[in-house]
């Protein structure tokens, strides 16, 4: 009993958890243009995260797609993101979420985790096209565009801000990464984008920046380079440009395949855990010898199979 007690208790808890446990709650953190609303939709010819919440909800996930400040500083946006998550009434007490952050949304989440006790709220962060090492396009706009500093000052006088652009520069990224060390309690993953070198494959708005970023930083999605978008475990490069990433369902399907509970998890893990549970229940009876033998077989098999399932990696 002593030899099997600790391990048996662990698998008993796992078996119980396999049944009614809800799928993870997912928060979609947008980049810097989202709250322009209808104007953004017209300009980009697409809505931010269009169809993504519905795609995820159909698969049983709870989804929050909050809005934060359009062009505010990353610290301001992170505060707002925290407020939106803590106010979400679909969360269980103490439950942590999976944040999927596109572009600057990934930086907002990292600031929240590192500086606002966000590791109490966030279990996993997946960033998509996030400029963790900064973006040379932001460098150019901030440093080279005539009168940009004057425009920024005028906007601040009427309550608007261009601070987000400064937060995306490569020089700011150095300070940001120093101020935002990874939390040991959070899992970090990233996805990059690139469609090759054919200019016509990219969204028209990204074609001028595609070549500029390529010269400065190498392969990119039209705005953020592949090397800048890598943080934590890299899940690969997908054939979508920076704008397509906000609505391309295959990107989010990739997230589900890596982190969501698969439909076959119950068939993979359930019977094995049930066998282990049965053996545990029988271990105190006159059939304890047979139960112990069953347990010795069931537990390693369950451990190996469930460790390889996407559910166990959440």
């Amino acid at each position: 009993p002593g030899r099997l007690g600790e391990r048996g208790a662990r698998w008993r808890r796992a078996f119980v958890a396999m049944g009614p446990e809800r799928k993870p709650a997912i928060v979609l953190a947008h980049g810097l243009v989202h709250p322009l609303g209808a104007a953004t939709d017209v300009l980009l010819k697409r809505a931010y995260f269009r169809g993504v919440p519905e795609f995820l909800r159909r698969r049983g996930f709870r989804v929050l797609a909050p809005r934060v400040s359009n062009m505010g500083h990353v610290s301001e946006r992170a505060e707002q993101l925290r407020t939106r998550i803590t106010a979400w009434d679909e969360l269980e007490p103490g439950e942590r979420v999976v944040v999927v952050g596109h572009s600057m949304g990934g930086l907002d989440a990292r600031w929240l985790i590192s500086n606002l006790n966000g590791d109490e709220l966030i279990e996993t962060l997946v960033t998509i096209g996030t400029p963790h090492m900064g973006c040379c396009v932001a460098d150019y706009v901030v440093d080279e565009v005539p009168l940009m500093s004057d425009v920024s000052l005028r906007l601040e006088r009427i309550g608007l801000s261009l601070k987000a652009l400064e937060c995306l520069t490569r020089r700011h990224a150095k300070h940001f990464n120093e101020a935002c060390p990874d939390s040991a309690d959070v899992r970090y993953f990233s996805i990059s984008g690139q469609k090759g070198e054919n200019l016509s494959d990219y969204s028209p708005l990204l074609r001028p920046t595609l070549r500029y970023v390529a010269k400065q930083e190498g392969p990119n999605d039209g705005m953020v380079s592949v090397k800048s978008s890598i943080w934590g475990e890299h899940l690969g490069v997908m054939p979508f440009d920076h704008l397509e990433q906000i609505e391309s369902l295959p990107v989010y399907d990739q997230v589900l395949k890596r982190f969501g509970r698969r439909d076959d998890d119950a068939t993979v893990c359930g019977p094995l855990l049930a066998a282990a549970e049965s053996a545990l229940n029988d271990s105190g009876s006159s059939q304890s010898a047979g139960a112990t033998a069953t347990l010795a077989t069931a537990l390693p098999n369950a451990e190996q199979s469930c460790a390889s399932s996407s559910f166990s990696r959440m």
Side-chain angles (χ1 to χ4, degrees):
R3 181 173 64 86
L4 295 175
E6 181 179 350
R7 197 178 187 202
R10 174 163 58 89
W11 281 101
R12 186 190 297 272
R13 290 192 297 270
F15 172 76
V16 171
M18 283 296 295
E21 186 166 22
R22 304 171 75 180
K23 290 185 177 182
I26 297 178
V27 176
L28 300 174
H30 66 76
L32 60 80
V33 298
H34 184 249
L36 290 176
T40 300
D41 297 346
V42 172
L43 177 65
L44 303 182
K45 297 183 179 180
R46 51 173 53 85
Y48 222 109
F49 294 130
R50 183 177 65 180
V52 176
E54 295 79 8
F55 172 80
L56 296 172
R57 290 184 183 116
R58 284 196 300 269
R59 284 150 181 79
F61 294 87
R62 290 157 291 152
V63 182
L64 178 68
R67 291 191 174 194
V68 298
S69 171
N70 178 33
M71 296 288 285
H73 191 278
V74 65
S75 59
E76 175 189 354
R77 289 164 53 99
E79 288 269 12
Q80 295 170 357
L81 182 60
R82 178 181 176 83
T83 298
R84 307 294 190 271
I85 295 174
T86 55
W88 191 12
D89 58 7
E90 290 190 67
L91 294 181
E92 300 290 344
E95 182 181 9
R96 296 195 295 164
V97 304
V98 176
V99 173
V100 180
H102 176 252
S103 196
M104 190 175 179
L107 301 181
D108 299 338
R110 284 184 55 202
W111 185 279
L112 168 55
I113 292 167
S114 302
N115 296 283
L116 301 173
N117 297 318
D119 48 6
E120 298 175 357
L121 296 175
I122 299 171
E123 179 181 31
T124 301
L125 171 61
V126 185
T127 61
I128 302 172
T130 293
H132 296 285
M133 304 301 168
C135 174
C136 62
V137 176
D139 291 352
Y140 179 83
V141 173
V142 172
D143 297 334
E144 304 296 335
V145 173
L147 303 178
M148 181 53 66
S149 60
D150 183 57
V151 171
S152 180
L153 289 174
R154 290 177 182 272
L155 288 174
E156 288 181 10
R157 289 173 186 167
I158 60 173
L160 300 177
S161 172
L162 291 179
K163 292 179 180 178
L165 289 176
E166 174 62 33
C167 293
L168 298 176
T169 62
R170 287 179 288 185
R171 62 174 172 272
H172 183 273
K174 295 177 181 179
H175 302 295
F176 177 90
N177 289 330
E178 291 174 358
C180 295
D182 287 353
S183 168
D185 296 324
V186 176
R187 297 182 179 187
Y188 297 82
F189 302 87
S190 57
I191 296 174
S192 307
Q194 187 201 11
K195 299 184 71 175
E197 299 180 359
N198 190 344
L199 204 62
S200 63
D201 290 339
Y202 288 78
S203 303
L205 286 174
L206 296 176
R207 292 172 189 172
T209 55
L210 172 69
R211 289 180 171 176
Y212 182 76
V213 179
K215 291 179 180 179
Q216 295 281 322
E217 302 182 50
N220 65 91
D221 62 8
M223 185 62 64
V224 177
S225 68
V226 171
K227 66 180 181 181
S228 181
S229 63
I230 295 174
W231 195 266
E233 181 179 338
H234 190 220
L235 301 182
V237 180
M238 298 198 70
F240 300 100
D241 68 33
H242 199 70
L243 296 182
E244 291 171 341
Q245 292 162 16
I246 65 179
E247 64 173 8
S248 296
L249 297 184
V251 176
Y252 300 90
D253 189 50
Q254 171 73 6
V255 174
L256 295 190
K257 287 178 180 178
R258 185 62 174 82
F259 304 107
R261 180 176 177 178
R262 296 184 317 211
D263 292 338
D264 63 347
D265 279 341
T267 59
V268 171
C269 300
L272 292 172
L273 289 171
E277 177 73 359
S278 175
L280 286 166
N281 289 336
D282 292 341
S283 60
S285 67
S286 59
Q287 301 176 350
S288 60
T292 300
T294 302
L295 183 63
T297 301
L299 283 177
N301 290 340
E303 185 173 30
Q304 181 178 1
S305 296
C306 292
S308 64
S309 76
S310 56
F311 173 67
S312 66
R313 286 194 290 265
M314 269 308 302

